[in-house]
Amino acid sequence: MVLESFQVGEGEVPTVLLHGFLGSGRNLRSLAMAWSEAEPQRRFLLPDLTGHGTSPALPPGADLDTLARDVHETARAQGFTGPVDWVGHSLGGRVSLAASLLFPAEVARVTLLDITPSPVPVSLMESGMVLNLLMQAPDTAPSRKEMRADLMGRGLSAGLADWLVMNLEPTPEGGVRWRFGRQALAELHGRVNQRDLWAAVERPGAKVRCIRGGRARYVPDEDLARLERAGCPVATLPEAGHFVHVEALPALLQWLLQAH
C-alpha cells in the first residue's frame, strides 16, 4: 500500500522519518528541515503511517509488519533505492525495527527516538491515555474549536488537544469529524506495544542507535543497559520528555549529526 507522504531535501542519502501514534508526517517536518540544512546530502521521506493522517485506513488485523511493509513500498515508489536510514519516534521507531527484520539488506540503520524494543507496559503509555480520551470524544463537532474544548474538558492538556485536532477534517454539513478510524487505531495500539523487538537490535550486523528523553519513561535504565550491551549507543536529553524532536530539537540534531 502506498502511503501519503512528502519529501524534504534533494540529496543522495535516503532517509525515512516516521512519526508516532496518532501523529502524521508533518509532526517531523521541523526536524527534517533542520537536518536537511545541516546535511544537504540527505533526502527525507515523511509518510503518514497506515491509518494515520491522510493515508489509507488500517486493514483488519494490521500490526507492525503491516505498517513497515507499507512504508517500504512507499519508499520504493518514491524512488528511495538501496539501503535506507530509518528514523522513528515512538511507534515510528518500532515500525523501523520491524522493517529491519523484514528487509535487513535494505535498512542501513535504525535510529530510535525515545522508544524501546521491549513490550511497552500500559502504565507507561501516554498514548494509551490520549487514546482513551479520544475514544470518548464525539464523532463530530460543529467546529475544531468545540472539539478541542470537549477534549480539554475530558482532562487533555491544551498542547495534546491542539495536536489531536490536527486530525479533524470538514464534514459536508459544515462541521468537523475525525479523519482516522478510532476503533482500528485502538486495536492497533495493543498489537504494536505488546511485541518484543529485541531481535532487531541483537541480531548479527544490526545497526541501531537510540536517544531518550530524560523526563520520559519509555526507555528505562535496564533497557538502556541491554541496548548498550548489544552495541546500540544510547544518549539521554535530560530536559526533554517523550517528544524529543519538539522539546530538544537543537540537542537532538547535534546528536543525529554525530557518527555512532
Side-chain angles (χ1 to χ4, degrees):
M1 181 187 298
V2 175
L3 305 171
E4 182 70 24
S5 66
F6 66 93
Q7 297 183 31
V8 171
E10 299 177 352
E12 298 299 317
V13 181
T15 308
V16 170
L17 280 181
L18 300 180
H19 62 82
F21 189 70
L22 299 178
S24 67
R26 58 184 169 170
N27 295 154
L28 295 168
R29 182 189 291 274
S30 295
L31 172 58
M33 298 290 286
W35 196 351
S36 177
E37 184 175 339
E39 285 192 336
Q41 65 268 36
R42 288 189 182 270
R43 176 183 171 206
F44 295 93
L45 180 71
L46 292 86
D48 293 351
L49 291 171
T50 318
H52 292 71
T54 55
S55 279
L58 289 161
D63 58 13
L64 282 174
D65 287 351
T66 308
L67 274 59
R69 288 191 179 97
D70 289 346
V71 173
H72 178 261
E73 183 178 343
T74 303
R76 291 293 173 259
Q78 295 297 329
F80 281 58
T81 57
V84 176
D85 279 352
W86 287 55
V87 181
H89 172 247
S90 202
L91 169 60
R94 295 179 70 78
V95 172
S96 300
L97 291 173
S100 74
L101 293 171
L102 289 170
F103 315 107
E106 298 178 60
V107 177
R109 178 169 64 179
V110 171
T111 300
L112 302 174
L113 306 183
D114 203 60
I115 197 62
T116 175
S118 295
V120 183
V122 174
S123 61
L124 295 186
M125 296 181 199
E126 184 179 47
S127 58
M129 177 272 292
V130 174
L131 180 63
N132 287 337
L133 294 176
L134 176 65
M135 297 297 287
Q136 297 168 24
D139 294 333
T140 62
S143 69
R144 186 180 297 259
K145 182 178 179 181
E146 289 184 56
M147 185 70 84
R148 179 182 184 273
D150 181 277
L151 291 167
M152 291 183 64
R154 298 176 192 277
L156 206 60
S157 70
L160 285 173
D162 287 337
W163 175 62
L164 267 188
V165 299
M166 291 169 67
N167 292 291
L168 293 170
E169 63 182 8
T171 65
E173 299 77 27
V176 293
R177 65 187 175 196
W178 297 107
R179 185 184 291 124
F180 43 45
R182 289 182 289 171
Q183 186 56 46
L185 282 169
E187 294 169 7
L188 176 74
H189 189 258
R191 292 190 200 101
V192 300
N193 287 298
Q194 290 166 6
R195 183 166 169 190
D196 185 314
L197 291 156
W198 280 102
V201 179
E202 297 174 337
R203 67 180 177 84
K207 289 186 177 180
V208 183
R209 58 179 179 167
C210 176
I211 194 162
R212 65 176 186 165
R215 295 188 294 103
R217 298 183 296 160
Y218 280 83
V219 187
D221 289 342
E222 55 267 33
D223 284 8
L224 181 152
R226 184 173 174 182
L227 285 163
E228 291 183 332
R229 286 196 301 271
C232 170
V234 184
T236 302
L237 299 178
E239 301 306 315
H242 184 49
F243 292 88
V244 290
H245 55 291
V246 176
E247 299 168 32
L249 179 55
L252 171 61
L253 182 62
Q254 183 179 12
W255 177 81
L256 288 168
L257 296 175
Q258 297 169 0
H260 297 280

